[in-house]
Amino acid sequence: MKYSLTAVASASLVALTLSHGAASAQTPRVDLGKREFESNCASCHGLSGKGGGYAVEWLRKSPTDLTTL
């Protein structure tokens, strides 16, 4: 059988796209912004961002409610 170069390239592209989609569907996405907030901000601002973190008792001023920004 003789296949055209375009047909072979198209079939290869479809197969590559499908295999990539299956691999990425199994990999969990990481929210880097959420991770950064939880590591550096949540101790004062709380996980909800309203200012109720565990370090509030050691602060002179209450942390800002970030949900109003």
Side-chain angles (χ1 to χ4, degrees):
M1 283 189 190
K2 191 173 190 180
Y3 296 102
S4 71
L5 182 59
T6 305
V8 172
S10 296
S12 299
L13 182 61
V14 168
L16 181 63
T17 302
L18 291 175
S19 67
H20 176 69
S24 65
Q26 296 172 355
T27 306
R29 293 186 52 108
V30 176
D31 186 346
L32 296 177
K34 180 179 179 182
R35 184 181 286 177
E36 183 75 20
F37 180 84
E38 289 172 348
S39 298
N40 298 302
C41 308
S43 59
C44 296
H45 296 281
L47 289 175
S48 66
K50 294 184 182 263
Y54 68 86
V56 170
E57 62 186 87
W58 298 294
L59 300 175
R60 290 185 182 164
K61 288 180 62 178
S62 296
T64 305
D65 180 353
L66 299 176
T67 63
T68 62
L69 298 177

